[in-house]
Amino acid sequence: ITIINRVPGRSDFTIELEDFVGSDDPTVAVKLLGSEISRYSFRDNIDTEVSELSLTFGQKATIPITISVPANASPGGYYTSVIIAHLPQGGSEDVTGAKTVSRVAQLLFVRVNGEVEESGQVKEFVVTPTTPVHVSGSLGFNVLFENTGNVHLAPYGYITVKNIFGGIVAQIPIDAYYALPQSERYREVLWEPPFLFGYYTATLELNRGY
């Protein structure tokens, strides 16, 4: 991982490991757990070599990250992030005495090969705005995907819009995105339609990522 100091003067940074999981909110991709150890933790098998460093303005440091997979590791997905925190210098406190610490997370997706449980499904496919008649403006197609397995998936596909005669008006791609185990995640795809008149249907075809 490469760190560049963009703050004038000398700055101190810390490097920590923190587990992450899928969020209970399907609109939020991940949830960082702080000191909590998740069931998908891999932090004991990740070495960052250094835990803190100091850089002057414009200086760059490359930190090697070593991931070691134990011989007895169970097949499945493991999810730990490397957190780079910029420690504020003196005089950066607000009126309450609190200091703001800037943090950047590099997410690590580790998959141990073997017999894993890959399963997922579309739970909802809706269009916004939800009015029965659309006059003008963009349309949003919202896909709610549920990952019920024990390894992350990367669903992708496309949406086909047809007119009342069955003619294809548009094919809208859904680029691959990740869905963590035992979680739900929304994906919104925006479409700027041409002039439309009449009745239209939208059909979702989603590859579940396995």
Side-chain angles (χ1 to χ4, degrees):
I1 294 178
T2 299
I3 305 171
I4 303 176
N5 180 18
R6 298 297 188 189
V7 180
R10 177 170 292 277
S11 296
D12 297 325
F13 299 87
T14 62
I15 303 174
E16 300 175 343
L17 299 175
E18 189 170 327
D19 294 336
F20 67 94
V21 294
S23 172
D24 296 333
D25 182 351
T27 62
V28 178
V30 299
K31 177 182 177 183
L32 293 171
L33 298 182
S35 59
E36 180 182 347
I37 305 296
S38 81
R39 59 181 292 192
Y40 303 105
S41 177
F42 215 63
R43 66 171 69 183
D44 290 340
N45 305 301
I46 298 174
D47 181 19
T48 62
E49 293 196 5
V50 297
S51 59
E52 56 185 31
L53 69 157
S54 181
L55 300 174
T56 59
F57 176 69
Q59 188 178 9
K60 178 173 66 175
T62 300
I63 310 300
I65 306 297
T66 303
I67 302 174
S68 303
V69 180
N72 61 348
S74 300
Y78 299 90
Y79 310 99
T80 296
S81 65
V82 180
I83 304 290
I84 309 299
H86 172 244
L87 302 180
Q89 301 297 313
S92 61
E93 297 181 356
D94 61 19
V95 293
T96 66
K99 289 188 177 182
T100 300
V101 177
S102 301
R103 306 201 320 154
V104 176
Q106 173 65 57
L107 306 181
L108 301 181
F109 294 75
V110 179
R111 173 167 172 159
V112 177
N113 289 331
E115 186 174 345
V116 298
E117 182 182 351
E118 293 178 306
S119 59
Q121 61 182 342
V122 174
K123 293 197 67 177
E124 187 176 71
F125 177 49
V126 297
V127 62
T128 55
T130 57
T131 55
V133 178
H134 182 73
V135 179
S136 62
S138 62
L139 286 172
F141 295 100
N142 293 281
V143 180
L144 178 58
F145 182 82
E146 180 184 29
N147 183 347
T148 56
N150 67 350
V151 66
H152 63 279
L153 302 177
Y156 64 93
Y158 57 88
I159 299 168
T160 302
V161 181
K162 295 183 179 180
N163 59 27
I164 194 172
F165 304 107
I168 296 178
V169 176
Q171 280 196 321
I172 309 161
I174 302 176
D175 296 331
Y177 63 102
Y178 64 84
L180 291 171
Q182 304 300 316
S183 68
E184 298 177 354
R185 186 175 180 190
Y186 263 117
R187 181 63 183 268
E188 182 182 37
V189 180
L190 294 178
W191 179 47
E192 297 290 343
F195 174 76
L196 299 178
F197 181 79
Y199 179 78
Y200 293 81
T201 60
T203 303
L204 167 68
E205 295 187 52
L206 194 72
N207 184 309
R208 293 172 292 188
Y210 60 92

